[in-house]
Amino acid sequence: MVEDDGWPVRALRLWLPLGFFLIFALFPFYWMAITSLKPNQELYNPQLMPLIVRHPTLKHYVDLLGETDFLVWTWNTMLVATVSTAISLVFGTMLAYPLARMNFPGSALVSFAVAATYLVPQPLLFIPMAEIIERMGLGNTLTSVMLTYPTLLIPFCAWLLMGYFKSVPRELEDAARIDGASRLQTMFLVFLPLCKPGFISAGIFAFTLAQNEFLYALIFLTDTSVRTVPVGAIAELIRGDVFYWGQLMAAALLGSIPVAIIYSFFVEHYVAGLTAGAVK
Amino acid sequence: MSAHSEPIPLPATRRRMLPALREWTEREEVFSLLMILPPMAFLIALVGYPFAYGIWLSLENRPVAQPGTFIGLGNFMTDFRDPTFWQVVQNTFVYTGVATVLKMVGGLGLALVMNQAFRMKNLVRAVLLLPFIVPTVLSTIAWMWILDPSFSVINWLLVHGGIADRGPSWLGNGSWAMFSLIMVNTWRGLPFYAITLLAGLQTIPLELYEAATIDGAGALDRFRYVTLPLLKPVVFIVTMFSLIFTFSDFQLVYVLTRGGPANATHLFATYAFDIAMSGGQFGLGASVALAMLPPLALLIIALALYLRRA
C-alpha cells in the first residue's frame, strides 16, 4: 500500500489480474460486435478461426432494421423508461423528503416499508400482477409497464434520494422558514434545486433498470407493436428453433448502446447511486 | 454547492382566505403525511394488493380465465408431492450459493486490485461495470451464442488449443447447464460487488494501514485485521442484495435454458412462470412463487431493518 514496488511485482499484483478481469468482462461484447459483422458463410464455417472477421458486412444490421420492428421496440423502450423514471422520481421525492427531514407519526414504519418494498423481487408478484393488468384491460398496452415499472423504481429512488437529502445541510431551509416561506416553497424553491446530483444518480439508475426489465414486459406485451427491445429480441428474433445469430448479435449490440452512452456520461453519478446504500 | 444569496421569495398573503387550512397543512406531521400519501397509495395498490392477492390465488384452484375454487393449502400439498418442485428447491440453493460465493471472492479480488494506484483508473472502472449495466437479456443472448452447441467459441478454443477433443455441451447437459448459468450470473454480478467493495475500501483511512505497518503487520495481517473488519458492513449489504436477487432470478434462466435440460436448471421463478403462464394454472404457479417467501422474507426483513438503522 505504502511501499514502492518494482515492475515485476506490479505486473503480478495489478496488470495480470486486471487483464484477466477485463477480458472476462469484455469478451462477450467483442463477440457480439464481431458476430454481427460476419457474413453467414463465415459465421457457420467451423473450419475458420472465429476470433476475427475476414469480410465484414453490415447485412445483419440492414436486415434487423429493415425486416424487423427493432426501431419500434427501441422507441417503446425509451418511452417507457422515460415515463416510468419521471413518475418514480416525483413519487420517490415525495416519500424521501418527509422521511429525510421531518418527524411524523409512523415515519419508522414508512421507511421500513419503503426498504422492504425495494427488496421484494418481481417473481413474487408477477402472477397476481398478470391477472390484475388483464382485469384492468391494460394487456398489450405500454401503460401496463409504465404503471408497473414505477413499483420497482419508486422504493429505490426514494431510498437513494433519502440518503442524498440527509447529506444536504439544513441551514438554507431553516433560513427560508424563518423568512416566512411555506413548507412547500421551502421544498421546491430552496431544497430541491440543491439536490440535482441526487436526482441525476437516481434518474440514471432508474432509467437503466427500466430498460433492463424483462419479466413484466414478457407477460404484458405480446403484440409486436408494443414490445420493448429485450422481449422483442427474445420473442421475435428467435423464430422457432432457427437462430439468426448475426441479427441477434446486432440487436444485442444496438440495444446495449443507448444505455452504455447514457451511462458513459454519468458514470460518477451511477457509481454514487450504486454504492450509496452500502457505503456511508 | 453554490448557496443562493438572493432573498427567498416570501409568501404573499394571498392565501389569507383559508388561514386555518394553511396553518394546518404547515404543521410538520400534516405536511409529511399529505406528501407521503400519494406514493404510498400507489405502492399499496400495485405492490401491497398484488402481494395479498397472490396469497389468495395460491389458496385457489384456478385454471386460466375461470373462476377459482378455494382449496386451502391444496396447492402447497401438490408442490410438496411434486419431485420437480424439490429439484427446483435444490437448483435454486445451488445456484444462489455458488454464484454468491464466486461473486464475493471475485469481487473482493477485483476491488483489491483496483484499489492500487494506476493510470486511467476511472476509465477501467467504467468499462468493468459494463456487464452490470447492459440489459441482461441482451448480454445473455451473447452468452447463448458463446455457449452454442455447434459453434461455441470456447469449445473452438478448447479443441484447437489441444485441451479437449470436443468441448462440453454447455447447455445440453444438466450439470454443465447449471455451471453455465452460474458463470453468466457471476459475469454480470461481479462488477457490482467489485465497485461497491472498492468504494468501501476507499473509505478506510490510510493512517490505519500506516499504524499497522509501524506495529509490524505484514500485508496479510493488514488485510485480516484492518481491511476485513472495516469492510464488513459493506460486505453484509452487498451479499444480502445479491442473495435476494439471485435467489429470485428469472431472466437469465429463461433466456439461456428455460429450466432445461430436464428441469436441471429450473429456479422458483421460472418454474412458477411455466406452471402459471404456459400451463395456465395460476393458483399452483402462485404457490410455487410463494414458496420462495420464507427464506426471502428472512433476508428482506434483516436487510430492511439494517438499512433503516444505517
Side-chain angles (χ1 to χ4, degrees):
Chain A
M1 200 112 318
V2 205
E3 61 264 47
D4 216 3
D5 300 318
W7 72 265
V9 178
R10 200 159 158 77
L12 205 64
R13 274 176 42 173
L14 177 65
W15 298 116
L16 200 72
L18 202 58
F20 166 78
F21 280 115
L22 276 170
I23 291 173
F24 182 51
L26 295 183
F27 181 75
F29 299 110
Y30 173 71
W31 200 233
M32 268 184 211
I34 205 166
T35 304
S36 70
L37 294 172
K38 281 182 190 174
N40 275 339
Q41 60 271 31
E42 210 176 306
L43 204 51
Y44 300 116
N45 183 344
Q47 303 311 315
L48 291 175
M49 206 283 274
L51 292 171
I52 52 162
V53 199
R54 284 169 190 76
H55 306 284
T57 165
L58 289 176
K59 184 175 185 309
H60 298 305
Y61 288 90
V62 174
D63 289 351
L64 177 72
L65 299 180
E67 290 170 12
T68 73
D69 287 316
F70 187 80
L71 288 174
V72 178
W73 305 335
T74 306
W75 166 250
N76 290 342
T77 310
M78 292 293 157
L79 185 69
V80 167
T82 309
V83 172
S84 38
T85 301
I87 295 176
S88 309
L89 284 178
V90 172
F91 276 172
T93 306
M94 291 169 81
L95 280 171
Y97 185 67
L99 284 174
R101 279 294 197 253
M102 295 176 180
N103 292 311
F104 58 95
S107 66
L109 187 68
V110 172
S111 75
F112 173 77
V114 168
T117 313
Y118 173 30
L119 300 172
V120 169
Q122 269 180 300
L124 223 43
L125 298 177
F126 75 94
I127 295 171
M129 203 70 121
E131 237 197 76
I132 292 168
I133 291 294
E134 192 55 44
R135 241 191 294 145
M136 287 164 79
L138 291 175
N140 267 324
T141 64
L142 289 179
T143 315
S144 66
V145 282
M146 287 173 182
L147 271 182
T148 47
Y149 288 4
T151 64
L152 315 168
L153 307 177
I154 292 169
F156 162 77
C157 287
W159 190 56
L160 201 156
L161 288 173
M162 208 161 83
Y164 191 85
F165 289 176
K166 281 181 182 161
S167 72
V168 176
R170 280 167 178 270
E171 282 76 28
L172 283 169
E173 290 155 272
D174 291 343
R177 294 285 295 153
I178 291 166
D179 286 347
S182 73
R183 288 195 188 276
L184 215 55
Q185 284 170 319
T186 309
M187 180 179 163
F188 276 95
L189 301 175
V190 179
F191 181 71
L192 295 184
L194 296 175
C195 301
K196 251 180 236 154
F199 287 120
I200 297 177
S201 287
I204 294 298
F205 220 96
F207 194 82
T208 51
L209 284 179
Q211 289 216 315
N212 196 354
E213 205 287 331
F214 179 63
L215 182 50
Y216 286 163
L218 178 71
I219 298 172
F220 303 155
L221 311 174
T222 50
D223 198 87
T224 182
S225 65
V226 291
R227 277 184 160 145
T228 55
V229 172
V231 181
I234 289 294
E236 300 193 31
L237 296 186
I238 299 175
R239 303 161 190 126
D241 282 339
V242 188
F243 289 78
Y244 294 78
W245 285 112
Q247 262 187 44
L248 271 168
M249 291 302 109
L253 200 65
L254 284 185
S256 304
I257 283 174
V259 194
I261 290 177
I262 295 167
Y263 160 78
S264 70
F265 280 115
F266 298 102
V267 185
E268 291 310 316
H269 290 282
Y270 186 88
V271 173
L274 184 72
T275 55
V279 185
K280 267 278 135 65
Chain B
M1 181 171 49
S2 66
H4 292 253
S5 53
E6 68 268 33
I8 304 307
L10 290 183
T13 42
R14 65 190 137 104
R15 296 250 192 113
R16 191 163 282 163
M17 287 172 55
L18 295 164
L21 177 68
R22 193 188 151 174
E23 204 173 293
W24 186 69
T25 57
E26 282 299 287
R27 281 168 54 188
E28 196 170 333
E29 66 274 17
V30 176
F31 177 85
S32 305
L33 290 173
L34 286 177
M35 193 55 98
I36 276 176
L37 204 64
M40 283 307 272
F42 184 86
L43 288 180
I44 288 169
L46 287 173
V47 180
Y49 171 63
F51 184 74
Y53 186 55
I55 295 176
W56 174 247
L57 271 181
S58 74
L59 304 174
E60 285 196 325
N61 176 17
R62 191 181 187 101
V64 74
Q66 283 174 47
T69 40
F70 184 82
I71 53 165
L73 294 176
N75 288 324
F76 292 95
M77 290 310 181
T78 311
D79 292 335
F80 294 153
R81 267 183 255 115
D82 170 13
T84 310
F85 177 83
W86 291 108
Q87 163 114 50
V88 165
V89 173
Q90 190 193 331
N91 293 344
T92 310
F93 276 90
V94 168
Y95 177 69
T96 310
V98 178
T100 303
V101 169
L102 285 178
K103 284 184 279 190
M104 177 86 266
V105 173
L108 187 59
L110 180 53
L112 288 171
V113 171
M114 291 282 292
N115 202 26
Q116 305 171 74
F118 57 94
R119 249 181 290 161
M120 296 197 295
K121 188 168 173 172
N122 282 344
L123 180 70
V124 171
R125 188 181 63 170
V127 163
L128 281 170
L129 255 178
L130 275 178
F132 189 68
I133 61 140
V134 160
T136 314
V137 166
L138 301 181
S139 56
T140 308
I141 294 176
W143 276 101
M144 210 172 157
W145 173 228
I146 292 175
L147 304 170
D148 186 82
S150 341
F151 298 99
S152 165
V153 58
I154 304 182
N155 286 355
W156 192 92
L157 290 171
L158 289 177
V159 171
H160 286 80
I163 298 167
D165 288 342
R166 45 194 286 267
S169 166
W170 295 101
L171 302 174
N173 165 292
S175 311
W176 280 112
M178 181 54 88
F179 175 91
S180 303
L181 283 175
I182 290 171
M183 176 168 70
V184 180
N185 180 282
T186 304
W187 174 79
R188 194 189 119 72
L190 195 142
F192 167 67
Y193 266 91
I195 302 303
T196 311
L197 292 176
L198 177 63
L201 283 176
Q202 286 166 345
T203 62
I204 300 177
L206 277 180
E207 296 85 62
L208 289 180
Y209 290 108
E210 282 159 15
T213 312
I214 292 166
D215 288 347
L220 221 60
D221 289 331
R222 288 194 303 251
F223 178 72
R224 213 180 132 194
Y225 296 108
V226 181
T227 311
L228 270 189
L230 288 171
L231 210 55
K232 231 199 248 157
V234 185
V235 169
F236 173 77
I237 292 182
V238 179
T239 307
M240 295 295 268
F241 262 98
S242 167
L243 282 176
I244 292 170
F245 291 102
T246 311
F247 192 80
S248 60
D249 200 0
F250 174 83
Q251 306 195 12
L252 224 149
V253 179
Y254 183 84
V255 175
L256 219 48
T257 64
R258 299 260 161 128
N263 300 323
T265 56
H266 253 319
L267 306 181
F268 280 110
T270 49
Y271 192 48
F273 180 92
D274 260 12
I275 293 175
M277 299 299 146
S278 316
Q281 290 178 283
F282 269 54
L284 195 60
S287 77
V288 171
L290 272 180
M292 276 192 283
L293 192 59
L296 271 184
L298 283 181
L299 295 173
I300 292 172
I301 292 171
L303 184 53
L305 285 173
Y306 185 88
L307 291 175
R308 203 173 53 91
R309 208 170 41 116

